[in-house]
Amino acid sequence: MYIHLDRSSSTPLWQQIVTGIIQKIHTKTLNPDDQLTPSRVLAQELNVSRSTVQLAYDELLARGYVSTSRRGGTKVISSDQYAASPPRQSEPPFALPVRPHFDEAEKQMDHWLSANQFHEKLEIDFRHQEPAIDEHFQNIWKRSLLKALQRLDMKDWGYSSPHGLWEVRSEIRQYLSVERGIEIEEDQMVLTGGTQQAIDLISQVLLKKGDMVAVEDPGFPGARLSFLHREMNIHPAAVDEEGMIVDTLPERTKLIAVTPSHQRPTGVCMSVNRRQQLLQFAVKHQSYILEDDFDGDYRYHGGPLPSLFSEAPDHVIYILSFSKVLAPGIRLAAIIGSQAVVKEIAALQSLIQRQLPIMEQITLASFFREGEFNRYVRRMRQVYKKRQAAMMHALLTHHFDKHFDLYGTDTGLHVFLEGTPDFDEKGSIEAAKAAGVGIYPLSPYCYESERKGLLLGFACTDEDMIQEGVRRLKQTFCI
């Protein structure tokens, strides 16, 4: 039985023998009940050791291609299933279930992501979806990882709580107490793989199909589309200079998703009056508030704003994300809530995921424990403050405030330039791109809102490039 062996290949000889015999079975060179050449004889023919051939025959037996007996030797199994390889299909062999809500959510998510795709080839990119990530961050994160590995015990590699590792939750609890005025116990927290997963877990625990969910409009598409996928009724609540307009919310609203510390994407902070209105609505109608604090650490005049959770912990579910504060690749967020709600969320987490991977968790715990988190946030707050000041100075110097309403000027990582109802977002973005500048539209964040404008991030662009970019935009827009 001839089998070609490539002795220069990295594939072991016994595997090449297996592949060669299977090919002969598929092409009917070997037929059912044909006896394979005895291992001693085949070894001589192929100039290999008998153990190599025997290893190949054992593999064929394990895969079910052959059978063996003392009298009959090794034979090809009597079956026609090896007559030909199954045809490859580009489509599933059966119809997939129709999922209209998922398909619509996927389409809108793709639209949002494509509209915010980074312009790698442009000289200046005012991208706003991520923080600055440099070698300094990589070095201190690496240092925290190494320190965490030194502390790691073998038992830590086993199963752990679906809430997340206790040491991580303990560090986050202390941070929230000092920086946000949020007083909780460790069992009031569940760690998740980012904000999107957190929102999905919350919707599955607190809501049922057809429940009314209020979202900001314009607002974070990820939240709205997650609720749409779970077949909730969406109420788009308009946003003005004080935040979400509360008095338009339907009485049967079960959950209200807001970004009060820095409205995403307009950048406004929810006023005290609106905050009280929202909390009173939740108490009166027995609703939950989903508070997404995605970049509250970066406020440039005064400290972080107090959370809604600290004022009404029984009615607020608080999400703390590290994607904007540190880096999206960390993929960690924390859900904070009452013990009863968090217990249910942890149970669901255990059912669908069991627990999070440990590496990012132990590194984040070390990052907090060694004081790196506070030092890093203080450092980046100063970096962003200078870049925010450069952005505002350039916009005002070039009189953008006479053509746009400027929002988000003292918090977060971007500035919102609102145009008139007839403002041409697409044309402006294309013109800016031709000038080597990347800017981004408001429209993908809108559900029913017809507001128009541009989003200019400053986190990833230094002061000189910010000034040059705004100067080019002035010439492009003929301001």
Side-chain angles (χ1 to χ4, degrees):
M1 179 170 55
Y2 174 74
I3 298 175
H4 173 70
L5 298 180
D6 182 0
R7 298 179 189 276
S8 65
S9 172
S10 60
T11 303
L13 293 177
W14 69 269
Q15 287 188 5
Q16 295 185 46
I17 296 172
V18 170
T19 302
I21 293 176
I22 290 175
Q23 185 178 12
K24 291 181 182 296
I25 293 174
H26 284 167
T27 58
K28 294 188 176 181
T29 303
L30 286 173
N31 295 304
D33 290 328
D34 281 354
Q35 186 170 347
L36 298 188
T37 303
S39 59
R40 187 185 302 276
V41 176
L42 185 59
Q44 294 175 349
E45 291 178 357
L46 300 180
N47 193 25
V48 298
S49 68
R50 185 183 179 188
S51 61
T52 298
V53 176
Q54 191 58 53
L55 187 60
Y57 281 9
D58 290 345
E59 178 68 14
L60 291 167
L61 179 65
R63 295 194 194 183
Y65 281 98
V66 300
S67 62
T68 184
S69 66
R70 290 185 179 180
R71 295 184 178 181
T74 302
K75 292 183 178 182
V76 177
I77 284 181
S78 300
S79 172
D80 59 356
Q81 63 178 305
Y82 311 117
S85 299
R88 292 186 177 182
Q89 298 178 337
S90 58
E91 298 293 334
F94 49 85
L96 295 175
V98 177
R99 299 176 297 172
H101 292 85
F102 177 82
D103 293 340
E104 177 62 23
E106 181 185 37
K107 184 188 303 181
Q108 293 185 40
M109 181 65 81
D110 286 343
H111 172 62
W112 174 57
L113 293 175
S114 62
N116 289 285
Q117 193 171 24
F118 301 151
H119 306 300
E120 295 181 357
K121 296 182 179 180
L122 297 181
E123 297 175 62
I124 303 170
D125 189 354
F126 289 130
R127 62 183 186 266
H128 63 287
Q129 290 283 29
E130 66 178 43
I133 303 170
D134 55 14
E135 289 187 6
H136 173 73
F137 170 75
Q138 289 200 99
N139 289 336
I140 58 176
W141 187 260
K142 186 186 300 183
R143 189 162 62 240
S144 294
L145 171 60
L146 294 176
K147 290 181 178 179
L149 287 173
Q150 292 174 355
R151 293 169 55 94
L152 198 62
D153 192 279
M154 283 190 293
K155 70 177 185 302
D156 294 325
W157 291 97
Y159 291 110
S160 61
S161 170
H163 285 261
L165 294 181
W166 185 89
E167 63 174 322
V168 192
R169 289 182 283 133
S170 177
E171 295 292 344
I172 295 175
R173 180 190 65 79
Q174 295 179 49
Y175 160 76
L176 289 174
S177 175
V178 174
E179 298 294 335
R180 294 291 192 275
I182 294 177
E183 301 293 342
I184 58 168
E185 299 298 329
E186 282 80 0
D187 62 356
Q188 290 181 252
M189 184 188 311
V190 173
L191 300 182
T192 71
T195 299
Q196 285 292 105
Q197 186 185 50
I199 292 172
D200 192 50
L201 288 170
I202 291 167
S203 66
Q204 291 184 68
V205 167
L206 298 183
L207 304 170
K208 62 181 184 297
K209 179 180 177 180
D211 277 347
M212 179 66 71
V213 177
V215 298
E216 296 168 316
D217 187 21
F220 176 44
R224 173 170 56 82
L225 297 178
S226 180
F227 295 128
L228 179 63
H229 166 55
R230 291 295 175 183
E231 300 187 71
M232 308 302 169
N233 286 318
I234 307 296
H235 172 76
V239 174
D240 62 15
E241 64 276 4
E242 293 187 61
M244 175 186 279
I245 299 176
V246 178
D247 56 17
T248 63
L249 298 180
E251 291 186 0
R252 61 190 183 93
T253 302
K254 295 295 184 182
L255 186 141
I256 308 155
V258 291
T259 51
S261 296
H262 181 224
Q263 203 278 327
R264 190 175 185 184
T266 66
V268 301
C269 296
M270 183 174 280
S271 69
V272 173
N273 288 338
R274 288 284 171 80
R275 293 164 69 94
Q276 291 306 312
Q277 277 187 302
L278 182 59
L279 293 171
Q280 290 169 9
F281 180 94
V283 172
K284 179 179 179 180
H285 300 286
Q286 292 298 291
S287 307
Y288 277 103
I289 298 170
L290 175 57
E291 180 180 10
D292 181 5
D293 189 7
F294 66 100
D295 64 358
D297 283 283
Y298 296 131
R299 188 162 182 260
Y300 310 115
H301 298 92
L305 294 174
S307 66
L308 294 173
F309 180 89
S310 62
E311 299 183 55
D314 290 333
H315 287 274
V316 180
I317 310 296
Y318 179 90
I319 298 179
L320 174 67
S321 170
F322 296 98
S323 294
K324 296 292 186 292
V325 178
L326 298 178
I330 294 175
R331 301 315 307 149
L332 282 177
I335 300 175
I336 313 298
S338 67
Q339 290 179 329
V341 169
V342 168
K343 180 180 179 181
E344 293 299 314
I345 294 174
L348 178 60
Q349 174 99 305
S350 177
L351 178 65
I352 64 177
Q353 190 179 10
R354 184 59 184 88
Q355 67 186 64
L356 294 176
I358 66 169
M359 298 310 296
E360 285 77 11
Q361 294 187 76
I362 63 170
T363 306
L364 183 60
S366 176
F367 206 70
F368 272 105
R369 184 173 53 251
E370 301 295 330
E372 297 287 9
F373 183 87
N374 288 333
R375 285 193 292 270
Y376 180 76
V377 169
R378 283 197 301 268
R379 173 181 179 270
M380 295 311 298
R381 189 182 292 125
Q382 291 304 310
V383 171
Y384 295 148
K385 183 176 182 179
K386 291 179 181 178
R387 294 179 180 180
Q388 181 266 351
M391 174 69 77
M392 292 307 303
H393 180 266
L395 291 172
L396 294 176
T397 297
H398 294 298
H399 309 297
F400 276 75
D401 56 320
K402 295 181 179 179
H403 302 270
F404 296 90
D405 290 327
L406 307 184
Y407 294 99
T409 59
D410 63 356
T411 306
L413 306 179
H414 74 272
V415 176
F416 170 45
L417 282 62
E418 182 163 19
T420 57
D422 60 348
F423 176 69
D424 182 6
E425 286 184 346
K426 184 176 181 181
S428 299
I429 290 168
E430 291 302 318
K433 190 182 297 184
V437 182
I439 54 179
Y440 298 87
L442 176 71
S443 55
Y445 292 85
C446 297
Y447 187 34
E448 293 183 355
S449 173
E450 297 182 356
R451 296 173 69 174
K452 300 288 182 64
L454 301 171
L455 302 172
L456 275 64
F458 50 80
C460 302
T461 312
D462 64 31
E463 292 93 315
D464 291 339
M465 297 302 286
I466 288 172
Q467 293 174 15
E468 173 61 17
V470 174
R471 186 191 66 80
R472 293 189 191 184
L473 291 179
K474 176 187 178 181
Q475 292 181 338
T476 299
F477 297 160
C478 299
I479 291 177

mmCIF file of all heavy atoms in Angstrom, residues 35 67-74:
data_model
loop_
_atom_site.group_PDB
_atom_site.id
_atom_site.type_symbol
_atom_site.label_atom_id
_atom_site.label_comp_id
_atom_site.label_asym_id
_atom_site.label_seq_id
_atom_site.Cartn_x
_atom_site.Cartn_y
_atom_site.Cartn_z
ATOM 1 N N GLN A 35 -8.585 -5.478 3.981
ATOM 2 C CA GLN A 35 -7.650 -5.602 5.092
ATOM 3 C C GLN A 35 -6.455 -4.690 4.846
ATOM 4 O O GLN A 35 -5.915 -4.638 3.737
ATOM 5 C CB GLN A 35 -7.182 -7.047 5.230
ATOM 6 C CG GLN A 35 -6.304 -7.284 6.454
ATOM 7 C CD GLN A 35 -6.063 -8.766 6.703
ATOM 8 O OE1 GLN A 35 -6.731 -9.607 6.109
ATOM 9 N NE2 GLN A 35 -5.132 -9.071 7.570
ATOM 10 N N SER A 67 -11.606 -1.634 12.026
ATOM 11 C CA SER A 67 -11.817 -2.535 13.159
ATOM 12 C C SER A 67 -10.664 -3.523 13.170
ATOM 13 O O SER A 67 -9.970 -3.706 12.160
ATOM 14 C CB SER A 67 -13.155 -3.266 13.034
ATOM 15 O OG SER A 67 -13.164 -4.084 11.860
ATOM 16 N N THR A 68 -10.451 -4.172 14.284
ATOM 17 C CA THR A 68 -9.338 -5.106 14.378
ATOM 18 C C THR A 68 -9.753 -6.347 15.153
ATOM 19 O O THR A 68 -10.616 -6.284 16.041
ATOM 20 C CB THR A 68 -8.125 -4.444 15.065
ATOM 21 O OG1 THR A 68 -7.027 -5.353 15.062
ATOM 22 C CG2 THR A 68 -8.446 -4.019 16.483
ATOM 23 N N SER A 69 -9.173 -7.473 14.782
ATOM 24 C CA SER A 69 -9.407 -8.739 15.482
ATOM 25 C C SER A 69 -8.161 -9.598 15.334
ATOM 26 O O SER A 69 -7.324 -9.360 14.464
ATOM 27 C CB SER A 69 -10.630 -9.463 14.913
ATOM 28 O OG SER A 69 -10.390 -9.870 13.572
ATOM 29 N N ARG A 70 -8.062 -10.599 16.182
ATOM 30 C CA ARG A 70 -6.861 -11.443 16.136
ATOM 31 C C ARG A 70 -6.765 -12.199 14.814
ATOM 32 O O ARG A 70 -5.700 -12.342 14.236
ATOM 33 C CB ARG A 70 -6.874 -12.436 17.297
ATOM 34 C CG ARG A 70 -6.655 -11.784 18.658
ATOM 35 C CD ARG A 70 -6.565 -12.830 19.746
ATOM 36 N NE ARG A 70 -6.320 -12.218 21.061
ATOM 37 C CZ ARG A 70 -6.201 -12.918 22.174
ATOM 38 N NH1 ARG A 70 -6.311 -14.257 22.142
ATOM 39 N NH2 ARG A 70 -5.971 -12.298 23.317
ATOM 40 N N ARG A 71 -7.872 -12.721 14.354
ATOM 41 C CA ARG A 71 -7.845 -13.526 13.130
ATOM 42 C C ARG A 71 -7.941 -12.681 11.867
ATOM 43 O O ARG A 71 -7.294 -12.968 10.870
ATOM 44 C CB ARG A 71 -8.992 -14.531 13.156
ATOM 45 C CG ARG A 71 -8.858 -15.574 14.262
ATOM 46 C CD ARG A 71 -9.973 -16.593 14.157
ATOM 47 N NE ARG A 71 -9.843 -17.623 15.173
ATOM 48 C CZ ARG A 71 -10.658 -18.660 15.314
ATOM 49 N NH1 ARG A 71 -11.698 -18.789 14.475
ATOM 50 N NH2 ARG A 71 -10.469 -19.545 16.273
ATOM 51 N N GLY A 72 -8.769 -11.647 11.926
ATOM 52 C CA GLY A 72 -9.010 -10.888 10.694
ATOM 53 C C GLY A 72 -8.046 -9.747 10.461
ATOM 54 O O GLY A 72 -8.044 -9.125 9.395
ATOM 55 N N GLY A 73 -7.202 -9.415 11.435
ATOM 56 C CA GLY A 73 -6.297 -8.282 11.285
ATOM 57 C C GLY A 73 -7.051 -6.963 11.346
ATOM 58 O O GLY A 73 -8.126 -6.853 11.946
ATOM 59 N N THR A 74 -6.519 -5.973 10.688
ATOM 60 C CA THR A 74 -7.115 -4.646 10.684
ATOM 61 C C THR A 74 -7.846 -4.437 9.367
ATOM 62 O O THR A 74 -7.226 -4.493 8.292
ATOM 63 C CB THR A 74 -6.042 -3.565 10.871
ATOM 64 O OG1 THR A 74 -5.348 -3.808 12.103
ATOM 65 C CG2 THR A 74 -6.660 -2.190 10.903
#
